[in-house]
Structure formats: C-alpha cells, structure tokens
Amino acid sequence: MKLTAINKYPVKSLKGLSLDSSLIDEFGIENDRRWMLVDSDGRFVTQRKHPIMGTIAVEDRDGLLRFTSAEGSVLDVQAGDFVNSIDAQVWSDNIVALGAGDAISGWFSELLGTPVNLVYMPDSTFRQVDRNYADYKQRVGFADGFPFLLISEASLEDLNSRLDSPVAMSRFRPNLVVTGCDAFEEDSWQLIRIGDIEFELVKPCSRCIMTTIDEVSLNYGKEPLKTLATYRRNDYGVCFGQNLVHQNQGVLSVGANVEVLKRL
C-alpha cells in the first residue's frame, strides 16, 4: 500500500492544500488547523453554516498567510498580527487563542456577511484530543477531535459506484489518502506505519452536512450522506474514513509505504 495524498487545512473549514511532503510535529501536519474563524462570542465558525468559507484559498509560508477570495481579493497576514488574547471555543473545548486585528477580521466579516475574527492557537495552548477515544496526552489544533483523517481511494470508489453523480475526495477533507487496499479495509486497522511514522486509528469519522455542499454551486444536497446512511451507519453515526493520532514525529511524503502493524 502507498500514501497517495497529503492534505492540510491551515484554517479550519477553508480550502486545503495538497502537499508532496510535510513535517509532522506535535500537532500533526505542520500548520494544519492552527487557525480558525470565530464569531463575536468566540465560538468556531465553519462551512456547516457558511459554505462560502470553502471558496477561500489560503497559503502558509515563512510566517505569512495569504488568503484569496473567489473574486480574487487578497489578504496577507503576518504571524505578528496575532497579539490579542481571546477565549475561543471549538465544540466543548474552551481555548486561549490569539486574535488578529480589526482590518483582518473585517476582510473575513465582509466575505461571510457576519462579524468574525481570525484566531491562532499558539504553542503555549494545549488542547487534548477527544479523551473518550484516546485518553493519553496527545494534543490537537482546531480540528474537530483528532489530528489526522485517513481515507482509502478504494472506499471512495465504492461510494461513487453507488452514486448517480460521483463526488471528489475533497468533499471529505482527509489529511491522508492511501491506495492498494480493499474498500473500507481501513476500518479493520488499529496501528499502521506510513514511512517512519506510526499512527493509531482511534475512531471512525462520523460525517456531517458539510459533505453535502456542492463545491461549485455551494448548495446543500442530500448526497453523499443519503447513500452512505444505507450502508455506513454504526454506533458513531454515518461514517466514512478513520481518525488517527500519531505516535512520533518526522517527515511524511507522498509515495511512502503503508504497513498495517495491528488489526482489530
């Protein structure tokens, strides 16, 4: 089996970036979901309510974030722009984050049509992964619960064979995509090694309404959740993909071997 894609999402719910390789640090993929947008109460904002977020591209390089809207408007944000301490909330976790200034917040607020602020999770803030499934001291950024989501190409092929209109892998926002296994074989893995990095598979990923947003029209639909619900429903909900935590740090590259070390 091989790793065929590495994706990171610097800002929660904005467009992702496809990488050839990446450093894997304490948080996961370097700079993956270290930023997010929050409302005036500090609560996280996502495509679930604001599909337009999925049209905002972001690049991160050398301490600079460059945002580009679908209309071509560009905003550059420096690491030093985050100076205000803000109490932010993602799901049930309350986090001390650093907020950006009014000009930066205004750019995003205009795009979304509601007041929002861009916040950053500094190294000094520790947010633990979901303790119900990984009770050891493992940190995570602003991801929903875990630093990695893995999906196999075969699983997407199986789903698309059941849909009238196929969907792209990007609908599911995986960090890691693998090939060379059977559809949903990843459900049976407990511990794997990709390159030199070991990962524990801790929980099936339950899917939400975000997967039904058409990436071009931004309209909500019924698929692929409707079809997934007919054969991928379990105690966690309607699931597609597996949540992972990493056991060590290093560099991960596309083309790396994927080895199953332990199965359920």
Side-chain angles (χ1 to χ4, degrees):
M1 293 185 291
K2 297 288 185 180
L3 179 67
T4 55
I6 302 171
N7 303 307
K8 76 172 177 180
Y9 310 89
V11 181
K12 185 178 181 69
S13 229
L14 267 56
K15 272 190 173 181
L17 294 169
S18 179
L19 308 173
D20 292 326
S21 64
S22 177
L23 174 68
I24 306 302
D25 61 19
E26 283 188 76
F27 289 89
I29 294 174
E30 184 179 30
N31 285 343
D32 184 55
R33 288 165 292 193
R34 292 291 296 273
W35 294 266
M36 73 174 178
L37 293 173
V38 298
D39 61 20
S40 55
D41 294 322
R43 184 165 176 79
F44 74 117
V45 176
T46 73
Q47 288 185 46
R48 295 173 180 88
K49 188 175 181 180
H50 301 282
I52 195 172
M53 292 176 67
T55 69
I56 303 173
V58 55
E59 300 175 69
D60 66 303
R61 53 189 179 191
D62 300 326
L64 170 73
L65 292 177
R66 171 162 289 178
F67 297 94
T68 306
S69 72
E71 293 74 29
S73 175
V74 176
L75 173 70
D76 286 339
V77 179
Q78 303 284 346
D81 291 329
F82 297 88
V83 294
N84 304 314
S85 181
I86 289 180
D87 291 328
Q89 183 178 4
V90 54
W91 297 113
S92 61
D93 293 329
N94 295 303
I95 300 155
V96 177
L98 297 177
D102 292 341
I104 294 169
S105 298
W107 190 85
F108 288 102
S109 298
E110 183 175 353
L111 285 178
L112 271 63
T114 188
V116 294
N117 192 9
L118 182 67
V119 301
Y120 172 70
M121 182 184 290
D123 291 346
S124 57
T125 292
F126 183 88
R127 177 185 176 223
Q128 186 164 321
V129 297
D130 191 330
R131 294 169 179 81
N132 291 317
Y133 305 101
D135 60 1
Y136 46 86
K137 195 172 184 180
Q138 170 69 52
R139 74 189 310 171
V140 64
F142 288 126
D144 280 353
F146 302 95
F148 292 93
L149 170 64
L150 178 147
I151 300 175
S152 71
E153 291 184 2
S155 296
L156 180 64
E157 291 170 4
D158 181 278
L159 170 61
N160 280 333
S161 72
R162 303 165 189 261
L163 297 175
D164 292 333
S165 299
V167 296
M169 185 68 84
S170 54
R171 282 279 190 108
F172 302 98
R173 299 173 69 85
N175 297 107
L176 307 175
V177 180
V178 300
T179 191
C181 63
D182 293 334
F184 306 110
E185 186 180 333
E186 60 266 35
D187 293 349
S188 69
W189 302 341
Q190 187 172 356
L191 185 68
I192 63 173
R193 181 188 296 119
I194 305 178
D196 296 325
I197 301 177
E198 293 188 4
F199 299 86
E200 181 183 354
L201 287 79
V202 294
K203 177 186 174 294
C205 183
S206 55
R207 310 312 308 218
C208 70
I209 195 173
M210 270 182 59
T211 62
T212 71
I213 300 171
D214 184 278
E215 293 170 294
V216 176
S217 70
L218 304 185
N219 293 326
Y220 296 96
K222 294 182 179 180
E223 296 291 5
L225 278 185
K226 180 180 178 181
T227 295
L228 281 172
T230 64
Y231 76 120
R232 293 293 300 166
R233 186 182 294 277
N234 56 36
D235 291 342
Y236 301 98
V238 177
C239 293
F240 191 77
Q242 290 285 328
N243 291 123
L244 287 67
V245 295
H246 53 305
Q247 305 297 298
N248 59 296
Q249 301 176 39
V251 175
L252 201 60
S253 299
V254 168
N257 290 324
V258 179
E259 180 184 0
V260 179
L261 303 179
K262 187 177 181 181
R263 296 181 183 269
L264 295 175

